[in-house]
Amino acid sequence: MRWRSFCFLSALFAVAFGMTACSEEDNTVEEYPNWQATNEAYFNRLTDSVLTLISLNPARTDWQRIKCWSKSDSIEGSNGDYIIVNVIEEGDAASGVPLYTDTVSVHYLGRLLPSTSYPQGYVFDSSYDGYFDPAVASPAEFAIGNSSGTSLVDGFATALQHMRRGDHWVVYIPYQLGYGASGYSSIPGYSTLIFDLRMVDFWSPEVQED
């Protein structure tokens, strides 16, 4: 990650965390103390910081705020209607972007915000093992959407529909565009999702590869 981006995010994490907590009843350590408040405060601070950066330099493209693909553009909406994107590497500007009906080939790693046992954030899913190595990593392939609605969380589907081949992004998804208040599997409710995402390729379902 670029040095400025690293410093920017480190400052946000330093403000938001330092949260080892114990239950008053049995002294057990809570993995996700004050999780809703922590995630909401973090995403709101991130949004405010990114909007400030963009207002100071509207031409910058390394930080972006993108509205959810399924939300109306006619109203501003709330912070929970947008994803935040940190562009690490720009791909082929002429490649276009995927459609909702397209299939994509991507490398990805998804993590949560730091918690008691996971100071770097719990990794809940990844298309590769360990550190990313382009020489050995195999991208995952999946359709963005289907006839009954998106098969991915809205924030992830939104990011994919704005990426070009070769793009490398870190994407911040508010819980409203992720797994909501209820969570899913090992992901607790109210979780901000952070994806390291690399777009390899995309194609329409009608295109048959040789």
Side-chain angles (χ1 to χ4, degrees):
M1 184 178 287
R2 298 174 181 140
W3 174 249
R4 288 184 179 178
S5 296
F6 175 81
C7 292
F8 173 66
L9 293 176
S10 295
L12 285 173
F13 278 114
V15 171
F17 304 109
M19 54 184 190
T20 300
C22 296
S23 166
E24 294 181 359
E25 296 181 357
D26 57 12
N27 260 359
T28 58
V29 175
E30 294 181 49
E31 187 59 55
Y32 303 109
N34 304 314
W35 197 238
Q36 179 179 356
T38 295
N39 280 264
E40 289 178 344
Y42 175 80
F43 197 82
N44 288 336
R45 278 194 297 269
L46 177 62
T47 297
D48 290 345
S49 298
V50 169
L51 288 176
T52 298
L53 291 176
I54 294 173
S55 68
L56 293 173
N57 181 8
R60 71 184 301 156
T61 59
D62 57 332
W63 286 97
Q64 301 176 25
R65 184 177 185 240
I66 301 175
K67 198 167 192 180
C68 175
W69 71 273
S70 63
K71 302 290 184 178
S72 172
D73 290 327
S74 62
I75 58 175
E76 173 63 20
S78 65
N79 289 346
D81 294 328
Y82 295 81
I83 63 171
I84 298 293
V85 170
N86 183 203
V87 178
I88 307 301
E89 185 174 355
E90 295 183 351
D92 180 7
S95 80
V97 296
L99 299 174
Y100 173 78
T101 53
D102 283 351
T103 296
V104 296
S105 172
V106 296
H107 300 290
Y108 69 89
L109 182 145
R111 70 171 71 244
L112 305 180
L113 296 185
S115 61
T116 302
S117 303
Y118 301 94
Q120 303 303 315
Y122 171 68
V123 175
F124 59 84
D125 196 11
S126 178
S127 64
Y128 51 88
D129 295 324
Y131 291 102
F132 176 71
D133 183 350
V136 298
S138 297
E141 295 182 4
F142 42 79
I144 297 177
N146 55 50
S147 59
S148 61
T150 183
S151 58
L152 307 172
V153 297
D154 277 347
F156 196 76
T158 298
L160 292 175
Q161 292 176 81
H162 286 80
M163 296 185 75
R164 301 165 299 186
R165 293 179 179 91
D167 275 351
H168 176 196
W169 290 3
V170 176
V171 180
Y172 300 82
I173 300 174
Y175 74 85
Q176 295 92 332
L177 302 182
Y179 292 105
S182 58
Y184 176 76
S185 186
S186 61
I187 301 172
Y190 302 104
S191 291
T192 299
L193 309 179
I194 304 175
F195 280 96
D196 189 289
L197 188 54
R198 303 167 192 260
M199 177 65 73
V200 178
D201 198 6
F202 55 86
W203 57 91
S204 69
E206 291 78 20
V207 174
Q208 299 295 322
E209 303 271 74
D210 293 332

